[in-house]
Amino acid sequence: VHTLLVPFVEALQQHFPALDLELTAEPSENLREHLRRGGIDIAFQTEPVLDPGTINKPLCEYRMGWIASADIGRVSLCDLAREPIITFPRGSQPYAAVEDAFRRVGTVPNRLHCVTSIAAIVRFVRAGLGVASLPIAAIRQELAAGSLSLIDTDVPLAPLRLYASYRPGLSSRLHDLIVEHAEQQVAAYCASEDHPTDIRSLSDQEL
């Protein structure tokens, strides 16, 4: 939503002017369930759907960062654990990455808040309610404006992967074409000088 959605939808409107879109932004777990039940045609989410017959295409990998409301310099993860940590919901890939990072240094955060919305997480951090794990590409404007700062820590966060998942059926060819356009938008975004390391294309891989 915060990086690739607008150019992707623009490309779809250009190439498929008669296509009606219905978009929903929900946690990956919900999207996977909607896909299983036939409620949506394609899910763009952070983990592959491992149901038999489901097609999963890795699209890209976002660099994650520890984010604060002010520049606090270099901080060890053990010291960061004393602060309230804000991340995505339990069961999500970002939540697991946060848990793994603290596990690697033998500690746990004093408080761990789970929020589904990047926009809400940004507002909480800017209000001084904690530090967060976020995809850097999604908050480039805030980092450039100085309203958010990237924390230098001794333990980096695992990157966040994005997959396109869909089930074969009568519209499989259309789904293939839509995902191909998504791959093209990822490649164009990654080639941009504004995002040289924030996001890496994975379009040459397939599950």
Side-chain angles (χ1 to χ4, degrees), residues 64-73 75-88 94 98 102 109-115 118 120-135 139 147-153 157:
M64 298 291 289
W66 296 104
I67 308 299
S69 59
D71 186 359
I72 58 176
V75 180
S76 72
L77 207 59
C78 288
D79 288 337
L80 203 63
R82 301 189 182 99
E83 302 291 332
I85 304 297
I86 307 169
T87 188
F88 294 91
V98 167
F102 284 107
N110 287 344
R111 282 171 289 172
L112 185 58
H113 304 313
C114 300
V115 181
I118 288 180
I121 293 175
V122 167
R123 296 187 69 174
F124 289 162
V125 173
R126 291 176 66 176
L129 299 178
V131 300
S133 68
L134 285 170
I139 54 167
S147 59
L148 295 177
S149 294
L150 187 62
I151 303 172
D152 182 15
T153 67
L157 287 163

Side-chain angles (χ1 to χ4, degrees), residues 34-52:
H34 290 324
L35 185 66
R36 291 186 180 106
R37 295 181 177 180
I40 59 176
D41 296 315
I42 303 174
F44 295 98
Q45 31 79 48
T46 58
E47 294 182 21
V49 179
L50 302 180
D51 296 349

Side-chain angles (χ1 to χ4, degrees), residues 64-201:
M64 298 291 289
W66 296 104
I67 308 299
S69 59
D71 186 359
I72 58 176
R74 183 170 177 80
V75 180
S76 72
L77 207 59
C78 288
D79 288 337
L80 203 63
R82 301 189 182 99
E83 302 291 332
I85 304 297
I86 307 169
T87 188
F88 294 91
R90 297 177 189 275
S92 67
Q93 183 181 342
Y95 183 93
V98 167
E99 281 196 318
D100 180 67
F102 284 107
R103 189 181 301 115
R104 287 161 60 189
V105 296
T107 189
V108 294
N110 287 344
R111 282 171 289 172
L112 185 58
H113 304 313
C114 300
V115 181
T116 59
S117 163
I118 288 180
I121 293 175
V122 167
R123 296 187 69 174
F124 289 162
V125 173
R126 291 176 66 176
L129 299 178
V131 300
S133 68
L134 285 170
I136 295 172
I139 54 167
R140 267 299 167 195
Q141 290 185 345
E142 290 83 357
L143 292 173
S147 59
L148 295 177
S149 294
L150 187 62
I151 303 172
D152 182 15
T153 67
D154 53 343
V155 179
L157 287 163
L160 175 67
R161 284 197 167 195
L162 182 68
Y163 295 85
S165 303
Y166 59 98
R167 302 176 68 85
L170 295 177
S171 302
S172 289
R173 181 52 187 157
L174 177 59
H175 297 163
D176 286 337
L177 292 173
I178 290 174
V179 173
E180 286 176 11
H181 280 287
E183 292 173 332
Q184 292 169 7
Q185 292 306 313
V186 168
Y189 189 91
C190 293
S192 169
E193 293 183 357
D194 294 333
H195 311 91
T197 61
D198 297 346
I199 176 173
R200 182 171 69 92
S201 174

